[in-house]
């Protein structure tokens, strides 16, 4: 049998199987086994050409469905900035409660359970200066940070894939590089945000945090004047140890979940429910996997070494002003009362100490609330990102 006849017979069988109600896997992944008696080799050459062309279009359509999205860079950066900052602001009150629980210097702690802490802050301090204290620096860092993240992510992903890197590794690497670029912006803003969250309102009569700034500008000036500009980057290394793996895994999972959803729907538009589910599942899974890094980061930044009897009161005050509170989200782990001091600044050593003294359970303290936090925040951010991309495509169409 001529080679052209065998080839047309193969493709025609795949098309017939699809038309005859084959499974979705056959439609997307490949074609069915060609029937033995297709008899297609008796057709004229022109008929064979049309069949091959039809099958080729079918193959190209399936490849297009499965391929990763490549929106214009400007669209990705705008949609990412709005989606990311909106998701962060929606979860800001939970982040405030977490910060109060982690940074409360009082013994016993005023803030215990999540519900009790929410109610106490809302009743005593209100929403704007209480639950949403520090929202200005939060927004000021979140929007440009996510703009930089999505711009870097999209460029890195395409560059790596086009140069032959396996797709999953490209997504992982691009998420890592995107968060590294954004960290230059979001870490200083997180320092300001966290201190204002812990403080509450100026001259707060309900909670003494050790900080008392009039506002965002006053906080920045005071920190630079009294502690130096480097204080705005405090916890930078520990933050990167946790957030870089989180972002890398989050976007690798998201791209894969989206690919499966496109195959399932046989369309690049997977619909609202799957857009929400893929983004939320990616963030929740990445949050659970990186929980040990979140635990050690928080323990490193919240451990307080008690001063000796010979230390002056002035040094005690200075130490309390510089206590190591968490400076980035999503972090919902709170050290348990009596948790052993790590007495190290090394993340690897901290992980070893926690495992040796508390076992695997110590690595996964707070995994429940962290999983919920990342599930909701990631779902909101990536859903808005995809919806905004659709709208920007209509408003600012790009010639293909």
């Amino acid at each position: 049998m001529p080679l052209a006849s065998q080839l047309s017979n193969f493709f025609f069988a795949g098309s017939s199987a699809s038309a005859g109600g084959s499974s979705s896997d056959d439609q997307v992944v490949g074609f069915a086994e060609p029937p033995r008696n297709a008899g297609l080799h008796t057709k004229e050459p022109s008929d064979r050409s049309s069949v091959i062309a039809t099958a080729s279009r079918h193959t190209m359509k399936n490849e297009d469905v499965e391929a990763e999205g490549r929106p214009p860079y400007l669209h990705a950066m705008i949609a990412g900035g709005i989606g990311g900052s909106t998701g962060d602001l929606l979860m800001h009150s939970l982040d405030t409660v977490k910060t109060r629980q982690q940074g409360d210097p009082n013994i016993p702690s005023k803030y215990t359970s999540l519900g009790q802490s929410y109610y106490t802050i809302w009743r005593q301090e209100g929403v704007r200066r209480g639950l949403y204290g520090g929202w200005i620096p939060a927004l000021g860092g979140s929007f440009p940070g996510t703009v930089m993240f999505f711009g870097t992510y999209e460029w890195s992903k395409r560059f790596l894939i086009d140069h032959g890197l396996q797709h999953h590794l490209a997504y992982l690497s691009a998420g890592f590089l995107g968060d590294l670029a954004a960290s230059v912006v979001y870490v200083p803003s997180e320092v300001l945000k966290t201190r204002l969250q812990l403080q509450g309102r100026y001259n707060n009569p309900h909670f003494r945090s050790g900080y008392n700034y009039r506002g965002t500008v006053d906080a920045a000036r005071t920190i630079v004047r009294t502690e130096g500009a480097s204080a705005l980057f405090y916890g930078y290394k520990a933050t990167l140890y946790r957030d870089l793996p989180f972002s890398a895994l989050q976007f690798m999972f998201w791209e894969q979940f989206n690919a499966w959803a496109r195959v399932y729907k046989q369309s690049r538009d997977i619909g609202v429910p799957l857009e929400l589910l893929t983004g939320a599942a990616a963030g929740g899974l990445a949050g659970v996997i990186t929980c040990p890094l979140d635990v050690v980061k928080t323990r490193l930044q919240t451990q307080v070494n008690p001063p000796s009897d010979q230390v002056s009161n002035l040094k005690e005050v200075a130490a309390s002003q510089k206590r190591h509170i968490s400076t980035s989200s999503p972090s919902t782990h709170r050290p348990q009362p009596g948790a052993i001091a790590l007495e190290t600044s090394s993340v690897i050593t901290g992980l070893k100490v926690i495992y040796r003294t508390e076992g695997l359970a110590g690595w996964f303290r707070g995994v429940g609330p962290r999983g919920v936090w990342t599930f909701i925040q990631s779902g909101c951010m990536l859903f808005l990102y995809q919806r905004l991309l659709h709208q920007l495509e209509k408003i600012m169409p790009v010639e293909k």
Side-chain angles (χ1 to χ4, degrees):
M1 182 184 294
L3 179 60
S5 298
Q6 296 180 31
L7 185 61
S8 64
N9 188 27
F10 176 79
F11 282 116
F12 182 78
S15 302
S16 300
S18 298
S22 64
S23 67
S24 60
D25 291 340
D26 289 336
Q27 295 177 25
V28 175
V29 178
F31 298 100
E33 186 70 24
R36 294 176 181 270
N37 300 319
L40 194 64
H41 57 279
T42 61
K43 299 288 184 180
E44 293 299 321
S46 59
D47 294 336
R48 290 200 299 268
S49 299
S50 64
V51 171
I52 293 174
T54 302
S56 298
R57 287 195 297 269
H58 187 88
T59 305
M60 291 174 65
K61 179 182 177 182
N62 289 328
E63 290 176 352
D64 182 64
V65 167
E66 294 182 28
E68 80 283 350
R70 292 196 173 192
Y73 290 119
L74 180 61
H75 291 190
M77 294 170 75
I78 293 174
I82 296 175
S85 56
T86 302
D88 287 342
L89 285 180
L90 286 174
M91 303 301 294
H92 188 84
S93 59
L94 177 61
D95 190 59
T96 297
V97 173
K98 176 269 300 182
T99 301
R100 291 286 181 97
Q101 289 181 331
Q102 287 183 333
D104 187 356
N106 303 295
I107 301 177
S109 175
K110 180 177 180 178
Y111 304 104
T112 54
S113 67
L114 179 65
Q116 176 268 338
S117 301
Y118 256 104
Y119 178 73
T120 300
I121 296 172
W122 171 74
R123 179 174 55 84
Q124 294 182 344
E125 303 174 48
V127 174
R128 182 173 175 269
R129 293 298 183 91
L131 291 173
Y132 272 79
W135 72 271
I136 294 177
L139 182 61
S142 179
F143 182 80
T146 46
V147 165
M148 293 177 65
F149 174 89
F150 278 95
T152 305
Y153 175 79
E154 286 294 332
W155 184 87
S156 303
K157 176 182 74 174
R158 300 174 197 186
F159 178 85
L160 294 171
I161 290 175
D162 292 344
H163 283 75
L165 188 65
Q166 201 271 343
H167 283 213
H168 291 90
L169 293 178
Y171 302 145
L172 192 75
S173 302
F176 189 95
L177 293 172
D179 198 86
L180 182 63
S183 65
V184 178
V185 176
Y186 75 72
V187 170
S189 71
E190 288 287 345
V191 172
L192 294 172
K193 180 210 72 171
T194 306
R195 293 195 181 191
L196 290 171
Q197 281 177 313
L198 189 65
Q199 167 192 312
R201 68 190 194 189
Y202 183 60
N203 290 329
N204 192 345
H206 304 288
F207 179 65
R208 298 186 62 183
S209 64
Y211 303 117
N212 196 29
Y213 307 115
R214 295 180 181 274
T216 304
V217 175
D218 180 59
R221 288 175 176 172
T222 303
I223 292 172
V224 172
R225 184 177 66 251
T226 60
E227 303 175 47
S230 61
L232 291 173
F233 286 87
Y234 185 80
Y236 187 75
K237 182 179 178 181
T239 299
L240 293 185
Y241 265 103
R242 185 202 64 192
D243 287 354
L244 293 183
F246 171 80
S247 293
L249 289 172
Q250 177 189 27
F251 276 80
M252 183 185 72
F253 292 145
W254 179 62
E255 294 278 10
Q256 181 59 67
F257 294 161
N258 260 290
W260 287 341
R262 292 194 296 270
V263 169
Y264 174 74
K265 297 286 287 188
Q266 275 294 283
S267 172
R268 294 200 65 81
D269 186 1
I270 63 177
V272 171
L274 284 177
E275 285 180 358
L276 280 168
L277 182 60
T278 53
L285 184 57
V288 169
I289 292 174
T290 57
C291 188
L293 296 173
D294 179 53
V295 171
V296 72
K297 169 191 173 296
T298 302
R299 290 278 286 274
L300 288 173
Q301 291 189 316
T302 57
Q303 64 181 345
V304 177
N305 299 319
S308 63
D309 295 337
Q310 288 77 25
V311 177
S312 66
N313 291 334
L314 181 60
K315 289 186 178 180
E316 290 180 19
V317 172
S320 67
Q321 287 286 333
K322 294 183 180 181
R323 69 180 174 283
H324 304 168
I325 59 176
S326 176
T327 56
S328 68
S329 56
S331 172
T332 50
H333 166 69
R334 183 187 182 195
Q336 298 297 311
I340 186 172
L342 300 182
E343 297 181 353
T344 180
S345 60
S346 168
V347 172
I348 302 301
T349 303
L351 284 170
K352 291 178 180 178
V353 170
I354 294 172
Y355 180 75
R356 186 171 63 249
T357 57
E358 304 173 46
L360 284 175
W363 277 3
F364 286 91
R365 287 188 187 275
V367 66
R370 175 168 170 79
V372 172
W373 201 104
T374 53
F375 184 88
I376 297 174
Q377 194 274 345
S378 182
C380 292
M381 178 185 72
L382 293 174
F383 168 72
L384 288 172
Y385 174 68
Q386 294 173 94
R387 288 289 97 191
L388 287 167
L389 282 180
H390 293 317
Q391 294 302 316
L392 289 170
E393 188 176 358
K394 297 176 182 178
I395 298 171
M396 298 185 293
V398 178
E399 293 185 5
K400 297 182 179 179

